[in-house]
Amino acid sequence: MIKSPAPSAEIPVSRLIAGRNPATTAPAWQVTLLRLQDGVELVHWCGRFERPASFALHDDSDRIHFSFTSRLDGVARCSFPADRRDHAIRAETGCISFGQGRHGSYHQQGMLENVTVMVRPDIFAAWAGEADGGLVGLLATEGGFLADHRGRELTDTARGIARAMRLAGEMSPAARHPLWYRAQGSVLVGLFLEARRQEPALPTAAPADRARLRRARDLLLADLSCAPSLADLARAAGLSVTRLERGFHVLFGTSVYGLFQQERMAEARRRLLDGETSITRVAADLGYTNTSHFAAAFRKQHGVNPSALKCRR
């Protein structure tokens, strides 16, 4: 399988969806790209990495990405420095992301299959009409990531598209008509919106609230060994507890303590990969008095034991 590129070698998203690998050895993924109409593309990605692979990415598209992982045998995640967090990618789960010019990284080990509909914002606005608060917040900021979109119909539709696009990539005569792909791409976006509609509606974060929420995030992550209480955090940021909790879901796509735990485990991974600190010391520094509890939390986030990660260095 291919080696990861040097951390400084950023890969434009346009290069990935065109199927160009960041190395010259045997390809570790296959990509099929179909242009459904001007401003709308359908992408099928199937990648397999026997060893952990990491890529520095640059989103040079101007698209909203409706991305659904139909299969995952392993672990995968993406991260954006502006968010100060990792986003775990899970099987049978979708995410909505947007952020032209964003810089981040992608990490994968094992096999992953994904279907993504990429839609230009003006076309999405015409399709969707008045979007919900979470999407408004996503588009109003420099970029964002809304995770955990699920549903049986969403899964079945994504798997059906993936099967058809595998045939299209093989130039099979059994591949579907272009109009079918265009219709299914629209259906997939609609199912994402329906999945969001089934969740409690979240208000749009006003500009003043966004500043307070970012301050709350910075305070929350200032000490990864001990999280402040919601009441203390809300008071320090000048928000009510309700607005704090709702605002985190709108702006950061997760709960207050969900963000804290993700960043804590990301810091644990960084320190273990550095190789200078023992597992026991990392666990203690991050507030764990029981190494077994730390190992369980690490495994839940990253899919491997901390000891296995150190052994692979």
Side-chain angles (χ1 to χ4, degrees):
M1 292 297 170
I2 67 173
K3 296 180 179 179
S4 304
S8 60
E10 277 197 333
I11 306 168
V13 169
S14 60
R15 180 180 173 185
L16 287 182
I17 64 175
R20 297 198 294 274
N21 292 306
T24 57
T25 56
W29 65 67
Q30 293 180 334
V31 179
T32 303
L33 170 66
L34 298 177
R35 301 193 184 279
L36 304 183
Q37 66 179 73
D38 182 37
V40 182
E41 294 84 32
L42 181 61
V43 181
H44 173 248
W45 156 289
C46 187
R48 184 186 299 275
F49 297 90
E50 293 179 355
R51 295 184 177 182
S54 298
F55 310 107
L57 299 177
H58 171 224
D59 187 355
D60 59 344
S61 74
D62 61 348
R63 305 291 197 260
I64 306 169
H65 296 228
F66 296 86
S67 182
F68 194 88
T69 300
S70 56
R71 180 182 173 188
L72 175 60
D73 298 324
V75 293
R77 71 183 191 284
C78 59
S79 59
F80 304 97
D83 293 350
R84 295 185 59 181
R85 60 171 292 199
D86 284 357
H87 301 279
I89 298 172
R90 299 181 175 87
E92 299 188 2
T93 302
C95 65
I96 305 172
S97 61
F98 177 73
Q100 185 178 15
R102 294 186 93 197
H103 299 268
S105 58
Y106 174 76
H107 314 272
Q108 181 184 328
Q109 181 181 13
M111 185 273 184
L112 180 145
E113 186 173 35
N114 176 280
V115 172
T116 298
V117 182
M118 301 170 57
V119 187
R120 205 169 61 213
D122 62 309
I123 294 176
F124 172 70
W127 282 2
E130 185 176 349
D132 66 89
L135 281 179
V136 171
L138 178 73
L139 297 174
T141 60
E142 297 84 359
F145 190 100
L146 301 175
D148 295 329
H149 297 78
R150 306 169 187 266
R152 185 72 265 159
E153 191 175 2
L154 188 57
T155 298
D156 291 344
T157 300
R159 285 179 171 173
I161 294 172
R163 283 193 298 269
M165 293 192 74
R166 283 196 296 270
L167 294 174
E170 297 165 1
M171 303 300 291
S172 167
R176 307 301 295 260
H177 190 279
L179 190 59
W180 183 90
Y181 291 107
R182 183 171 179 176
Q184 290 300 300
S186 300
V187 168
L188 192 68
V189 173
L191 290 172
F192 265 96
L193 298 182
E194 288 187 0
R196 294 190 59 74
R197 193 183 304 157
Q198 293 168 7
E199 300 173 353
L202 295 174
T204 303
D209 277 0
R210 288 202 293 270
R212 295 187 183 102
L213 288 165
R214 290 192 177 97
R215 171 169 168 73
R217 176 196 61 190
D218 293 343
L219 292 171
L220 174 71
L221 303 180
D223 181 2
L224 292 175
S225 68
C226 182
S229 70
L230 288 177
D232 288 345
L233 189 62
R235 189 181 307 110
L239 294 165
S240 68
V241 171
T242 299
R243 289 175 72 181
L244 175 75
E245 292 180 309
R246 289 182 177 176
F248 261 65
H249 279 284
V250 169
L251 200 57
F252 307 122
T254 188
S255 66
V256 174
Y257 292 128
L259 178 60
F260 178 82
Q261 186 65 6
Q262 288 169 359
E263 182 59 27
R264 182 156 66 159
M265 290 300 102
E267 176 63 17
R269 185 179 186 276
R270 286 191 287 268
R271 293 187 60 182
L272 291 173
L273 285 175
D274 286 343
E276 302 297 327
T277 312
S278 69
I279 294 173
T280 302
R281 170 51 59 189
V282 171
D285 288 349
L286 293 176
Y288 285 88
T289 57
N290 186 308
T291 306
S292 297
H293 292 169
F294 167 74
F298 189 92
R299 185 168 57 251
K300 180 179 180 181
Q301 178 72 21
H302 297 299
V304 295
N305 288 318
S307 56
L309 187 69
K310 284 186 74 69
C311 289
R312 287 205 297 258
R313 289 186 64 256

Tab-separated table of all heavy atoms in Angstrom, residues 268-307:
chain	number	residue	atom	x	y	z
A	268	ALA	N	-3.929	12.733	23.473
A	268	ALA	CA	-3.299	11.478	23.892
A	268	ALA	C	-2.604	10.813	22.707
A	268	ALA	O	-1.469	10.335	22.821
A	268	ALA	CB	-4.350	10.540	24.484
A	269	ARG	N	-3.268	10.791	21.574
A	269	ARG	CA	-2.677	10.173	20.385
A	269	ARG	C	-1.416	10.916	19.951
A	269	ARG	O	-0.404	10.294	19.610
A	269	ARG	CB	-3.702	10.153	19.246
A	269	ARG	CG	-3.225	9.433	17.999
A	269	ARG	CD	-4.307	9.430	16.921
A	269	ARG	NE	-3.907	8.615	15.792
A	269	ARG	CZ	-3.136	9.034	14.798
A	269	ARG	NH1	-2.696	10.284	14.798
A	269	ARG	NH2	-2.809	8.231	13.809
A	270	ARG	N	-1.469	12.240	19.955
A	270	ARG	CA	-0.295	13.017	19.559
A	270	ARG	C	0.889	12.720	20.469
A	270	ARG	O	2.020	12.538	20.006
A	270	ARG	CB	-0.628	14.516	19.584
A	270	ARG	CG	-1.496	14.986	18.429
A	270	ARG	CD	-1.567	16.500	18.364
A	270	ARG	NE	-2.384	17.059	19.436
A	270	ARG	CZ	-3.677	17.311	19.328
A	270	ARG	NH1	-4.314	17.030	18.204
A	270	ARG	NH2	-4.348	17.839	20.330
A	271	ARG	N	0.637	12.655	21.771
A	271	ARG	CA	1.734	12.430	22.711
A	271	ARG	C	2.290	11.014	22.606
A	271	ARG	O	3.504	10.803	22.719
A	271	ARG	CB	1.259	12.725	24.132
A	271	ARG	CG	0.937	14.201	24.357
A	271	ARG	CD	0.637	14.506	25.802
A	271	ARG	NE	1.763	14.194	26.669
A	271	ARG	CZ	1.749	14.341	27.989
A	271	ARG	NH1	0.649	14.802	28.582
A	271	ARG	NH2	2.799	14.037	28.711
A	272	LEU	N	1.416	10.041	22.383
A	272	LEU	CA	1.894	8.666	22.247
A	272	LEU	C	2.703	8.488	20.966
A	272	LEU	O	3.684	7.742	20.943
A	272	LEU	CB	0.712	7.696	22.274
A	272	LEU	CG	0.001	7.561	23.631
A	272	LEU	CD1	-1.250	6.706	23.493
A	272	LEU	CD2	0.938	6.978	24.683
A	273	LEU	N	2.290	9.157	19.902
A	273	LEU	CA	3.044	9.067	18.654
A	273	LEU	C	4.400	9.752	18.765
A	273	LEU	O	5.353	9.363	18.086
A	273	LEU	CB	2.238	9.678	17.506
A	273	LEU	CG	1.071	8.833	16.987
A	273	LEU	CD1	0.273	9.600	15.948
A	273	LEU	CD2	1.572	7.517	16.394
A	274	ASP	N	4.491	10.769	19.613
A	274	ASP	CA	5.794	11.409	19.836
A	274	ASP	C	6.784	10.435	20.461
A	274	ASP	O	7.996	10.552	20.255
A	274	ASP	CB	5.641	12.636	20.740
A	274	ASP	CG	5.000	13.804	20.015
A	274	ASP	OD1	4.984	13.777	18.770
A	274	ASP	OD2	4.511	14.723	20.694
A	275	GLY	N	6.255	9.491	21.252
A	275	GLY	CA	7.081	8.427	21.795
A	275	GLY	C	7.926	8.792	22.992
A	275	GLY	O	8.715	7.975	23.472
A	276	GLU	N	7.768	10.001	23.509
A	276	GLU	CA	8.610	10.436	24.620
A	276	GLU	C	7.981	10.169	25.984
A	276	GLU	O	8.638	10.307	27.011
A	276	GLU	CB	8.902	11.942	24.487
A	276	GLU	CG	9.588	12.334	23.187
A	276	GLU	CD	10.959	11.692	23.052
A	276	GLU	OE1	11.624	11.503	24.089
A	276	GLU	OE2	11.350	11.369	21.920
A	277	THR	N	6.698	9.798	26.009
A	277	THR	CA	5.976	9.681	27.270
A	277	THR	C	5.306	8.321	27.363
A	277	THR	O	4.765	7.817	26.376
A	277	THR	CB	4.904	10.784	27.386
A	277	THR	OG1	5.488	12.040	27.047
A	277	THR	CG2	4.351	10.864	28.798
A	278	SER	N	5.313	7.733	28.556
A	278	SER	CA	4.683	6.431	28.757
A	278	SER	C	3.166	6.560	28.736
A	278	SER	O	2.605	7.649	28.942
A	278	SER	CB	5.125	5.838	30.098
A	278	SER	OG	4.570	6.590	31.169
A	279	ILE	N	2.499	5.434	28.520
A	279	ILE	CA	1.041	5.419	28.531
A	279	ILE	C	0.513	5.842	29.892
A	279	ILE	O	-0.449	6.622	29.992
A	279	ILE	CB	0.522	4.016	28.151
A	279	ILE	CG1	0.878	3.698	26.696
A	279	ILE	CG2	-0.988	3.919	28.360
A	279	ILE	CD1	0.552	2.277	26.282
A	280	THR	N	1.147	5.376	30.944
A	280	THR	CA	0.708	5.727	32.297
A	280	THR	C	0.797	7.224	32.532
A	280	THR	O	-0.117	7.837	33.102
A	280	THR	CB	1.560	4.979	33.336
A	280	THR	OG1	1.445	3.573	33.118
A	280	THR	CG2	1.102	5.310	34.750
A	281	ARG	N	1.883	7.847	32.073
A	281	ARG	CA	2.058	9.284	32.265
A	281	ARG	C	1.048	10.074	31.432
A	281	ARG	O	0.465	11.047	31.911
A	281	ARG	CB	3.488	9.683	31.889
A	281	ARG	CG	3.747	11.193	31.806
A	281	ARG	CD	3.277	11.944	33.033
A	281	ARG	NE	3.918	11.476	34.242
A	281	ARG	CZ	3.573	11.846	35.473
A	281	ARG	NH1	2.547	12.669	35.649
A	281	ARG	NH2	4.206	11.380	36.514
A	282	VAL	N	0.825	9.657	30.193
A	282	VAL	CA	-0.160	10.347	29.354
A	282	VAL	C	-1.538	10.264	29.996
A	282	VAL	O	-2.271	11.260	30.067
A	282	VAL	CB	-0.186	9.746	27.930
A	282	VAL	CG1	-1.357	10.307	27.122
A	282	VAL	CG2	1.125	10.029	27.212
A	283	ALA	N	-1.899	9.075	30.478
A	283	ALA	CA	-3.201	8.905	31.124
A	283	ALA	C	-3.332	9.821	32.335
A	283	ALA	O	-4.355	10.496	32.518
A	283	ALA	CB	-3.394	7.443	31.532
A	284	ALA	N	-2.297	9.864	33.170
A	284	ALA	CA	-2.343	10.703	34.371
A	284	ALA	C	-2.420	12.178	34.014
A	284	ALA	O	-3.185	12.940	34.626
A	284	ALA	CB	-1.116	10.426	35.237
A	285	ASP	N	-1.647	12.599	33.018
A	285	ASP	CA	-1.653	14.007	32.618
A	285	ASP	C	-3.010	14.443	32.080
A	285	ASP	O	-3.356	15.628	32.139
A	285	ASP	CB	-0.580	14.260	31.564
A	285	ASP	CG	0.828	14.213	32.138
A	285	ASP	OD1	0.961	14.194	33.380
A	285	ASP	OD2	1.792	14.187	31.343
A	286	LEU	N	-3.764	13.487	31.542
A	286	LEU	CA	-5.077	13.807	30.983
A	286	LEU	C	-6.212	13.495	31.956
A	286	LEU	O	-7.373	13.414	31.560
A	286	LEU	CB	-5.281	13.060	29.663
A	286	LEU	CG	-4.345	13.515	28.534
A	286	LEU	CD1	-4.535	12.655	27.294
A	286	LEU	CD2	-4.573	14.985	28.190
A	287	GLY	N	-5.867	13.313	33.224
A	287	GLY	CA	-6.884	13.218	34.261
A	287	GLY	C	-7.390	11.832	34.577
A	287	GLY	O	-8.379	11.687	35.306
A	288	TYR	N	-6.736	10.794	34.065
A	288	TYR	CA	-7.171	9.424	34.334
A	288	TYR	C	-6.361	8.834	35.485
A	288	TYR	O	-5.128	8.780	35.424
A	288	TYR	CB	-7.000	8.549	33.092
A	288	TYR	CG	-8.043	8.789	32.025
A	288	TYR	CD1	-7.846	9.761	31.053
A	288	TYR	CD2	-9.222	8.054	32.005
A	288	TYR	CE1	-8.803	9.998	30.076
A	288	TYR	CE2	-10.185	8.281	31.032
A	288	TYR	CZ	-9.974	9.250	30.071
A	288	TYR	OH	-10.924	9.482	29.117
A	289	THR	N	-7.041	8.388	36.512
A	289	THR	CA	-6.367	7.708	37.617
A	289	THR	C	-6.278	6.207	37.379
A	289	THR	O	-5.538	5.514	38.068
A	289	THR	CB	-7.119	7.964	38.936
A	289	THR	OG1	-8.476	7.520	38.795
A	289	THR	CG2	-7.112	9.459	39.271
A	290	ASN	N	-7.032	5.716	36.402
A	290	ASN	CA	-7.047	4.293	36.075
A	290	ASN	C	-6.633	4.130	34.614
A	290	ASN	O	-7.324	4.599	33.709
A	290	ASN	CB	-8.455	3.717	36.312
A	290	ASN	CG	-8.509	2.212	36.131
A	290	ASN	OD1	-8.080	1.690	35.109
A	290	ASN	ND2	-9.049	1.515	37.123
A	291	THR	N	-5.507	3.457	34.388
A	291	THR	CA	-4.993	3.298	33.029
A	291	THR	C	-5.939	2.481	32.158
A	291	THR	O	-6.045	2.715	30.948
A	291	THR	CB	-3.603	2.632	33.056
A	291	THR	OG1	-2.745	3.378	33.914
A	291	THR	CG2	-2.986	2.593	31.663
A	292	SER	N	-6.645	1.535	32.753
A	292	SER	CA	-7.598	0.724	31.984
A	292	SER	C	-8.739	1.581	31.451
A	292	SER	O	-9.198	1.393	30.320
A	292	SER	CB	-8.155	-0.413	32.847
A	292	SER	OG	-7.132	-1.301	33.232
A	293	HIS	N	-9.207	2.528	32.265
A	293	HIS	CA	-10.265	3.431	31.810
A	293	HIS	C	-9.754	4.314	30.664
A	293	HIS	O	-10.484	4.579	29.697
A	293	HIS	CB	-10.751	4.302	32.966
A	293	HIS	CG	-11.480	3.531	34.018
A	293	HIS	ND1	-11.811	4.063	35.248
A	293	HIS	CD2	-11.942	2.249	34.030
A	293	HIS	CE1	-12.451	3.154	35.965
A	293	HIS	NE2	-12.532	2.047	35.247
A	294	PHE	N	-8.512	4.759	30.781
A	294	PHE	CA	-7.913	5.547	29.705
A	294	PHE	C	-7.825	4.725	28.419
A	294	PHE	O	-8.176	5.204	27.333
A	294	PHE	CB	-6.520	6.022	30.117
A	294	PHE	CG	-5.705	6.576	28.978
A	294	PHE	CD1	-5.984	7.822	28.444
A	294	PHE	CD2	-4.665	5.829	28.432
A	294	PHE	CE1	-5.239	8.328	27.381
A	294	PHE	CE2	-3.913	6.322	27.371
A	294	PHE	CZ	-4.201	7.576	26.849
A	295	ALA	N	-7.368	3.474	28.536
A	295	ALA	CA	-7.221	2.619	27.357
A	295	ALA	C	-8.572	2.375	26.686
A	295	ALA	O	-8.673	2.370	25.454
A	295	ALA	CB	-6.573	1.292	27.746
A	296	ALA	N	-9.621	2.193	27.487
A	296	ALA	CA	-10.957	1.968	26.925
A	296	ALA	C	-11.446	3.207	26.180
A	296	ALA	O	-12.027	3.104	25.087
A	296	ALA	CB	-11.933	1.591	28.035
A	297	ALA	N	-11.221	4.389	26.751
A	297	ALA	CA	-11.634	5.631	26.091
A	297	ALA	C	-10.837	5.855	24.809
A	297	ALA	O	-11.382	6.296	23.789
A	297	ALA	CB	-11.448	6.808	27.045
A	298	PHE	N	-9.553	5.543	24.849
A	298	PHE	CA	-8.699	5.708	23.673
A	298	PHE	C	-9.137	4.763	22.556
A	298	PHE	O	-9.225	5.152	21.390
A	298	PHE	CB	-7.244	5.432	24.059
A	298	PHE	CG	-6.246	5.784	22.989
A	298	PHE	CD1	-5.659	7.037	22.959
A	298	PHE	CD2	-5.891	4.865	22.011
A	298	PHE	CE1	-4.743	7.373	21.974
A	298	PHE	CE2	-4.978	5.190	21.023
A	298	PHE	CZ	-4.406	6.447	21.009
A	299	ARG	N	-9.428	3.527	22.931
A	299	ARG	CA	-9.861	2.531	21.942
A	299	ARG	C	-11.201	2.923	21.323
A	299	ARG	O	-11.419	2.744	20.121
A	299	ARG	CB	-9.958	1.160	22.611
A	299	ARG	CG	-10.273	0.015	21.653
A	299	ARG	CD	-10.055	-1.338	22.323
A	299	ARG	NE	-10.840	-1.483	23.537
A	299	ARG	CZ	-10.329	-1.487	24.772
A	299	ARG	NH1	-9.024	-1.345	24.952
A	299	ARG	NH2	-11.112	-1.634	25.822
A	300	LYS	N	-12.094	3.470	22.116
A	300	LYS	CA	-13.398	3.906	21.601
A	300	LYS	C	-13.232	5.022	20.581
A	300	LYS	O	-13.939	5.064	19.565
A	300	LYS	CB	-14.276	4.374	22.759
A	300	LYS	CG	-15.662	4.845	22.326
A	300	LYS	CD	-16.494	5.270	23.522
A	300	LYS	CE	-17.875	5.752	23.089
A	300	LYS	NZ	-18.694	6.186	24.253
A	301	GLN	N	-12.289	5.921	20.815
A	301	GLN	CA	-12.086	7.061	19.919
A	301	GLN	C	-11.298	6.685	18.671
A	301	GLN	O	-11.630	7.112	17.561
A	301	GLN	CB	-11.349	8.178	20.666
A	301	GLN	CG	-11.041	9.407	19.822
A	301	GLN	CD	-12.279	10.218	19.511
A	301	GLN	OE1	-13.282	10.113	20.207
A	301	GLN	NE2	-12.223	11.017	18.462
A	302	HIS	N	-10.239	5.883	18.836
A	302	HIS	CA	-9.302	5.655	17.736
A	302	HIS	C	-9.336	4.243	17.167
A	302	HIS	O	-8.693	3.978	16.143
A	302	HIS	CB	-7.877	5.977	18.190
A	302	HIS	CG	-7.674	7.406	18.580
A	302	HIS	ND1	-7.867	8.455	17.699
A	302	HIS	CD2	-7.313	7.973	19.764
A	302	HIS	CE1	-7.617	9.598	18.316
A	302	HIS	NE2	-7.286	9.339	19.567
A	303	GLY	N	-10.042	3.320	17.828
A	303	GLY	CA	-10.165	1.975	17.291
A	303	GLY	C	-8.991	1.059	17.569
A	303	GLY	O	-8.979	-0.083	17.104
A	304	VAL	N	-7.989	1.534	18.295
A	304	VAL	CA	-6.828	0.711	18.653
A	304	VAL	C	-6.469	0.988	20.106
A	304	VAL	O	-6.809	2.035	20.664
A	304	VAL	CB	-5.601	1.014	17.758
A	304	VAL	CG1	-5.871	0.639	16.316
A	304	VAL	CG2	-5.203	2.481	17.866
A	305	ASN	N	-5.763	0.042	20.725
A	305	ASN	CA	-5.264	0.260	22.071
A	305	ASN	C	-4.066	1.205	22.044
A	305	ASN	O	-3.294	1.206	21.069
A	305	ASN	CB	-4.837	-1.065	22.705
A	305	ASN	CG	-6.020	-1.937	23.067
A	305	ASN	OD1	-7.019	-1.443	23.584
A	305	ASN	ND2	-5.912	-3.228	22.784
A	306	PRO	N	-3.865	1.993	23.087
A	306	PRO	CA	-2.693	2.880	23.106
A	306	PRO	C	-1.378	2.120	23.009
A	306	PRO	O	-0.426	2.598	22.396
A	306	PRO	CB	-2.831	3.632	24.440
A	306	PRO	CG	-3.860	2.900	25.225
A	306	PRO	CD	-4.734	2.199	24.253
A	307	SER	N	-1.315	0.921	23.572
A	307	SER	CA	-0.080	0.133	23.495
A	307	SER	C	0.224	-0.272	22.059
A	307	SER	O	1.385	-0.275	21.629
A	307	SER	CB	-0.195	-1.111	24.379
A	307	SER	OG	-1.327	-1.885	24.009
